[in-house]
Amino acid sequence: MQTIQRKSLAQEVADQMQHSIESGAFSLNEKLPTEPELMKKFGVGRSTVREAIKYLAQSGFVTVLQGVGTFVASHTGNNMLGSKLEQANFTEVFEVRQLLEVKIVEKSVTARNAKHLAKMERKLKERYRYALEGKIAECIQADIEFHTTVAESCGNTILYELYKTMSLHVSNFFRDVYQDTAPFIETQALHESLLGYIKDRDIPKALKVAQKIIGTI
């Protein structure tokens, strides 16, 4: 007779949170509620919430930034592409990101709308503010959110999903490499130029700036 495996309370909480993420209740890179808020929502203790978050992180649904919060990393969790990227070196990831970035920017120039532009501008302001304040984790998050918004605006859902998967690994690389926000301050003007050319629907200049941004990594 096969034994029925009962789920732990933490697993049940993780399952409910996973369902919310998969259903789109949270956007990519959106911050999840705080531990006290989750404790109240599910009627569980702090250790249960932390264990549930651990399950979600191991499954590739969220990423935890120490002292900042927990953010949605994927709506689908770990997949074959994600596994390949985990094993790849950054040179390989960079080459693929470079190809995606160029095509995404080219399409964004013609496909973006006012909502996309407003979000890009907001994320760039956050990026610069956090950079000036020396908040590296928040600055990286805002940078990634700016670029994923550009990807979202390109109008191609497959390119967007590929870029979202790539962005998780790029952000991990940034956290390992950058010890301060100086590189983000230095490249702020380039990012603002990129946004300006996307607004102006100037493909040649937008592509030129995008290539410069990639080359600064």
Side-chain angles (χ1 to χ4, degrees):
M1 183 177 178
Q2 187 174 4
T3 303
I4 297 175
Q5 299 293 326
R6 289 184 176 275
K7 289 185 178 181
S8 68
L9 186 56
Q11 287 174 317
E12 291 179 0
V13 171
D15 284 349
Q16 291 187 52
M17 294 177 67
Q18 179 179 323
H19 177 71
S20 295
I21 293 171
E22 289 175 327
S23 65
F26 297 96
S27 302
L28 185 72
N29 296 318
E30 183 177 348
K31 187 177 181 180
L32 293 183
T34 62
E35 282 185 358
E37 289 171 334
L38 291 173
M39 290 164 60
K40 183 177 181 180
K41 175 180 174 64
F42 294 107
V44 297
R46 189 178 300 274
S47 61
T48 298
V49 168
R50 289 183 175 177
E51 191 67 20
I53 294 296
K54 183 179 177 181
Y55 286 137
L56 292 173
Q58 290 173 341
S59 300
F61 285 97
V62 303
T63 184
V64 180
L65 300 182
Q66 202 66 36
V68 180
T70 301
F71 299 84
V72 175
S74 170
H75 286 131
T76 57
N78 291 332
N79 52 36
M80 187 175 293
L81 176 59
S83 299
K84 289 289 184 182
L85 288 170
E86 287 288 353
Q87 299 169 22
N89 59 49
F90 188 73
T91 299
E92 294 174 315
V93 174
F94 172 78
E95 288 176 349
V96 176
R97 180 178 183 250
Q98 189 173 36
L99 291 171
L100 287 175
E101 191 90 35
V102 169
K103 192 63 179 178
I104 282 169
V105 168
E106 180 183 358
K107 292 181 70 64
S108 172
V109 169
T110 56
R112 90 293 184 279
N113 58 36
K115 184 179 178 181
H116 294 136
L117 292 174
K119 186 175 180 181
M120 289 179 212
E121 187 171 357
R122 186 170 69 253
K123 292 303 174 184
L124 268 192
K125 287 180 179 178
E126 290 178 4
R127 180 188 191 273
Y128 192 48
R129 185 177 77 252
Y130 289 135
L132 292 177
E133 293 173 353
K135 296 180 178 179
I136 184 65
E138 294 90 337
C139 183
I140 290 172
Q141 186 66 29
D143 179 86
I144 293 297
E145 288 179 1
F146 167 76
H147 286 286
T148 53
T149 303
V150 176
E152 182 182 14
S153 75
C154 81
N156 185 311
T157 56
I158 295 176
L159 277 176
Y160 176 44
E161 290 299 329
L162 284 172
Y163 195 85
K164 285 194 298 182
T165 302
M166 295 295 298
S167 69
L168 172 62
H169 299 275
V170 171
S171 64
N172 289 336
F173 171 80
F174 283 171
R175 285 194 291 273
D176 290 339
V177 170
Y178 294 130
Q179 302 303 310
D180 58 52
T181 58
F184 296 89
I185 295 174
E186 292 169 6
T187 58
Q188 182 69 18
L190 281 175
H191 283 73
E192 290 175 358
S193 293
L194 176 59
L195 175 57
Y197 292 135
I198 291 175
K199 282 183 178 180
D200 295 341
R201 300 188 186 276
D202 192 326
I203 293 177
K205 289 182 179 179
L207 290 177
K208 186 176 181 179
V209 172
Q211 289 168 343
K212 284 184 180 180
I213 289 173
I214 297 169
T216 60
I217 294 176

